[in-house]
Structures are given as C-alpha cells and as structure tokens.
C-alpha cells in the first residue's frame, strides 16, 4: 500500500544547516515525504541556495517589505495556505510569529531549540548553560505555540558539557545533535507516529508524558 504524500514546508532565515540535514535525510529515506517549498524572510539567506541545489522551489517573503508584523504574518500565512503542507518546519527562522498565526497552523508547526526545554528558553542558551555550571545540555524539538519556546516537546537529544569548552565549541556540538534529532522527529511525523492533541504529544496514539530522550554523546 502506498503511503499518502506528506508535504513539508521549511521556513529559514540564514545558513540552513538543519534544512540541509533534513534534505539529506529525506533523500536517503524510503518515504513519501517531500519538501515542497523553502521560504525565507531574508533574500540573502544561504539556505535558499541549499534548497535550489536540491531542486526545491523557494520563496522570499522579506519582512522588511512590510511596515507591520501583522502584515508580514498575513502574507506568510496566505502563502502557506496556498501550499497546504502537512508539516511546517522552522529551521533557524528568526521571526517571532504572532498568536493568530500560530493558532492558524496549530499542530503543523514545529521548531528546534538549542536547550533541554523548558530550561533556557530564548537566546544565548550555550553561554547561559556554561554560566550555570550545568553538566547536561542539548536540543529540543517542540510544537510551536503562542508562548516563545514553550510548546509541547516531542523529543530531545542531550550531551555532557565538557569542563574545558567555551560557548562556541558547545554550540557546535549541540548543532551536530540538531542535525540528527530534527530528521528523526520529522520521520516519526511523516510516518504518522507523532501528533498534537489538546496540547499533549501523542506517540503511536498514546499520550507521551515526557519528551523522548535520545542520548547522542
């Protein structure tokens, strides 16, 4: 039996390293999932070149062309509605989306964040982890909700912080985890194993009381 097609749209703002990891994973997988569009809010984002090299159509919706945040969100939402994707992947998309936008696509939007949420929401996570003296760090894939970095967490990958490393070294190691975790979660979603119901993550139709933890040290 053929699997139903799963259309993915990826939103980016910059380099697109997570986008590349997802492209590579889908190319190597026996799946009906496909990235149908990569959309950037920055016209010079290198991730657009990554998409084009892979034969994926791209759009630019430049946030600077809109006087108000709401107008940009409306333009982006209308484009997504026209594409009608199953999953919308935020991969280094550096815009805070409005509550109205998030509600419009609830259950379709996922994001990756460089910390073990709910710890260290927001920016500068690696420096904050080092300043606190934490021994464990990592990344989280979560559903997007109106509250920043506060949506239900699907899965996390973790590593042990090394005493001698600085924030840049730690960031590089966490990014390597992201490149493994994000494709894994997307595989589960495209296979129909993960869903959002009443702000709870279902895995194989069972409520997941805590995020799945993948140790990749």
């Amino acid at each position: 039996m053929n699997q139903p097609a799963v259309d993915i749209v990826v939103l980016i703002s910059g380099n697109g390293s997570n986008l590349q990891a997802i492209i590579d994973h889908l190319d190597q997988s026996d799946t009906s999932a496909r990235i149908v569009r990569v959309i950037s809010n920055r016209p010079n984002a290198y991730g657009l070149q990554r998409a084009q090299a892979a034969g994926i159509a791209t759009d630019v919706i430049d946030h600077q062309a809109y006087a108000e945040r709401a107008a940009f969100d409306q333009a982006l939402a209308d484009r997504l509605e026209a594409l009608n994707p199953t999953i919308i992947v935020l991969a280094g998309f550096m815009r805070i989306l409005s509550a109205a936008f998030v509600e419009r696509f609830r259950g379709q939007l996922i994001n990756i964040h460089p910390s073990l949420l709910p710890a260290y929401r927001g920016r500068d996570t690696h420096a904050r982890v080092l300043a606190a003296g934490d021994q464990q760090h990592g990344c989280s894939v979560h559903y997007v909700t109106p509250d920043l970095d506060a949506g239900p967490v699907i899965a996390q990958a973790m590593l042990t912080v090394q005493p001698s490393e600085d924030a840049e070294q730690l960031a590089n190691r966490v990014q390597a985890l992201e490149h493994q975790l994000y494709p894994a979660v997307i595989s589960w979603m495209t296979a129909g194993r993960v869903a959002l119901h009443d702000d709870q993550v279902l895995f194989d139709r069972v409520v997941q009381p805590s995020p799945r933890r993948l140790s990749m040290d």
Side-chain angles (χ1 to χ4, degrees), residues 8-12 19 22 35 37-40 88-91:
I8 301 169
V9 171
V10 183
L11 306 184
I12 64 168
L19 166 66
I22 296 165
I35 300 174
R37 196 65 50 99
V38 171
I39 301 175
S40 175
I88 303 166
V89 175
L90 277 59

Side-chain angles (χ1 to χ4, degrees), residues 28-167:
Q28 297 163 13
S29 301
D30 181 16
T31 176
S32 61
R34 58 180 185 154
I35 300 174
V36 296
R37 196 65 50 99
V38 171
I39 301 175
S40 175
N41 65 306
R42 293 177 177 166
N44 296 323
Y46 182 68
L48 293 170
Q49 296 182 44
R50 295 181 186 271
Q52 291 158 4
I56 300 169
T58 61
D59 287 336
V60 174
I61 304 177
D62 188 346
H63 66 278
Q64 293 184 333
Y66 297 85
E68 298 179 353
R69 181 183 297 272
F72 169 80
D73 279 8
Q74 184 67 49
L76 178 58
D78 289 347
R79 190 74 193 98
L80 290 170
E81 289 277 6
L83 293 167
N84 192 30
T86 309
I87 305 169
I88 303 166
V89 175
L90 277 59
F93 186 65
M94 304 305 290
R95 296 285 296 175
I96 297 176
L97 297 166
S98 67
F101 181 98
V102 171
E103 290 298 337
R104 190 168 174 177
F105 299 101
R106 178 176 284 270
Q108 294 172 263
L109 285 162
I110 60 171
N111 182 48
I112 193 160
H113 182 74
S115 79
L116 298 174
L117 293 172
Y120 305 110
R121 293 164 56 185
R123 299 189 175 214
D124 301 321
T125 61
H126 313 298
R128 291 157 65 194
V129 163
L130 292 174
D134 291 358
Q135 294 184 338
Q136 300 294 322
H137 187 33
C139 53
S140 306
V141 175
H142 64 94
Y143 281 103
V144 178
T145 61
D147 293 328
L148 181 65
D149 301 330
V153 178
I154 301 167
Q156 297 175 322
M158 57 192 300
L159 52 71
T160 300
V161 179
Q162 301 301 314
S164 60
E165 65 188 332
D166 59 22

